[in-house]
Amino acid sequence: MQRLDPRLLATLEAVVRHGSFNAAARELGYSAPAVSQQIAELERRAGLRVLERRPVRATPAGEVLLDAEQGVRSALAAAAVELDAMRAGTAGRIRLGAFASAATRIVPQALAQLHTTYPDVHVSLSQLEPEASYSRLKRGDMDLALSYDYDFIPLPPPRTLRRTLLARDPVVAVVPVDHHLADRDVIDLASLASETWIAAPEAALRLELLAQMAKTPGFRARLEYEGDDFNTVLGFVAAGLCVAVMPRLALPRGSTQVVARPLAEPELTRFIYAVRIDTRHAPRALVALEQMLTMQTLAALS
């Protein structure tokens, strides 16, 4: 097999990620025929087909090359981070990713603090769920991310990433203010099994998982919502239409329209993390932002 060109591997990655030669060409700044020629050249050097064309997806040989491309990209991203650290890391740009409730409750105060300490650092924010953040971090398209997983649904990061636990975010039951369980100090999850629930898989814990945790059947949705906004879920609960469970961080401070209570059994926890490329050194501003995000996370949950 002839020596592989990292640029050809990057073209393969873009085609597979987009599932389209045309979309990859737009991203890379090439023409579609040029992208097709690069894939053909890669296949010639590999001596194997690397793509299925309809639909566009990687062959087993293509998957091997995608792993190699990811390794090259991760190594270059790690080197860039370390070089930034050696240059002092008090200016430049930080690309931050955060899930929705963190972007609302944690990030603004941390960025205000960072701007005071490092006024020459520009921060861009992308609202992303953990898996999307991990993908961007691995590709070198992001510098730092706030992510999460649950105690009963662990989501370990790829081995090239460094994850630091910031806080434990308890999952609480949320019911309308006039609900018959609203005056309890804690609510047993099983006692909510027959209630009206909202199906919001992108913004709330999946009902089948709650049934497994409570060891109680009956968790059925009578409302459906496709989205990732906890505020929408809270609106349904406040209107008396349903009950829900959600991490405490997702609750607005001082809400009088819903009642949130700790879960008795089983207790559920969301873990909040800061994640970045695993390197020996990191820019000072990046380390400072991670520390500021830690303090703001703890403050938001206190």
Side-chain angles (χ1 to χ4, degrees), residues 103-177:
T104 302
R105 295 282 305 279
I106 299 171
V107 172
Q109 295 83 355
L111 294 191
Q113 188 177 357
L114 182 76
H115 180 69
T116 300
T117 309
Y118 295 99
D120 295 326
V121 172
H122 171 74
V123 180
S124 61
L125 173 66
S126 298
Q127 183 177 310
L128 297 168
E129 290 299 295
E131 289 190 60
S133 290
Y134 293 164
S135 293
R136 288 204 189 182
L137 286 165
K138 287 194 303 177
R139 295 202 307 268
D141 296 337
M142 184 170 286
D143 304 301
L144 180 65
L146 290 173
S147 75
Y148 66 86
D149 63 10
Y150 291 92
D151 46 7
F152 57 97
I153 320 174
L155 181 65
R159 60 180 178 82
T160 56
L161 302 182
R162 171 181 176 176
R163 188 172 74 172
T164 303
L165 178 64
L166 303 189
R168 291 169 172 79
D169 185 9
V171 175
V172 296
V174 186
V175 300
V177 291

Side-chain angles (χ1 to χ4, degrees), residues 48-66:
L48 293 165
R49 289 179 61 84
V50 301
L51 279 180
E52 299 291 349
R53 266 58 173 184
R54 295 183 180 177
V56 175
R57 65 179 185 273
T59 65
E63 293 290 350
V64 171
L65 294 179
L66 287 174

Side-chain angles (χ1 to χ4, degrees), residues 36-290:
S36 182
Q37 290 169 8
Q38 290 187 31
I39 295 299
E41 174 63 15
L42 182 59
E43 290 182 326
R44 187 186 70 78
R45 295 189 184 195
L48 293 165
R49 289 179 61 84
V50 301
L51 279 180
E52 299 291 349
R53 266 58 173 184
R54 295 183 180 177
V56 175
R57 65 179 185 273
T59 65
E63 293 290 350
V64 171
L65 294 179
L66 287 174
D67 287 343
E69 192 278 339
Q70 185 63 75
V72 171
R73 191 185 291 263
S74 295
L76 291 175
V81 170
E82 299 227 32
L83 290 173
D84 283 344
M86 293 176 184
R87 285 193 292 265
T90 59
R93 180 184 181 191
I94 296 176
R95 298 161 297 177
L96 175 66
F99 56 94
S101 51
T104 302
R105 295 282 305 279
I106 299 171
V107 172
Q109 295 83 355
L111 294 191
Q113 188 177 357
L114 182 76
H115 180 69
T116 300
T117 309
Y118 295 99
D120 295 326
V121 172
H122 171 74
V123 180
S124 61
L125 173 66
S126 298
Q127 183 177 310
L128 297 168
E129 290 299 295
E131 289 190 60
S133 290
Y134 293 164
S135 293
R136 288 204 189 182
L137 286 165
K138 287 194 303 177
R139 295 202 307 268
D141 296 337
M142 184 170 286
D143 304 301
L144 180 65
L146 290 173
S147 75
Y148 66 86
D149 63 10
Y150 291 92
D151 46 7
F152 57 97
I153 320 174
L155 181 65
R159 60 180 178 82
T160 56
L161 302 182
R162 171 181 176 176
R163 188 172 74 172
T164 303
L165 178 64
L166 303 189
R168 291 169 172 79
D169 185 9
V171 175
V172 296
V174 186
V175 300
V177 291
D178 58 354
H179 193 273
H180 67 280
L181 297 177
D183 59 351
R184 295 193 180 183
D185 293 331
V186 296
I187 294 178
D188 187 274
L189 186 57
S191 67
L192 297 172
S194 61
E195 296 285 337
T196 297
W197 287 82
I198 179 170
E202 295 180 52
L205 302 176
R206 298 197 304 274
L207 298 185
E208 64 269 21
L209 289 174
L210 296 180
Q212 293 173 20
M213 296 302 299
K215 299 179 181 179
T216 304
F219 287 80
R220 293 188 301 275
R222 295 172 180 83
L223 297 167
E224 293 186 5
Y225 163 57
E226 293 185 9
D228 62 359
D229 184 1
F230 275 118
N231 287 327
T232 302
V233 174
L234 287 168
F236 281 104
V237 176
L241 295 171
C242 61
V243 299
V245 294
M246 61 183 61
R248 196 171 75 191
L249 185 67
L251 292 169
R253 287 191 180 275
S255 175
T256 59
Q257 297 180 304
V258 300
V259 171
R261 293 289 182 261
L263 289 172
E265 290 291 340
E267 294 183 357
L268 309 178
T269 303
R270 179 171 74 168
F271 299 96
I272 300 175
Y273 307 96
V275 189
R276 56 183 170 90
I277 295 174
D278 190 10
T279 58
R280 291 166 295 179
H281 308 283
R284 276 191 283 171
L286 187 66
V287 174
L289 178 56
E290 186 174 325

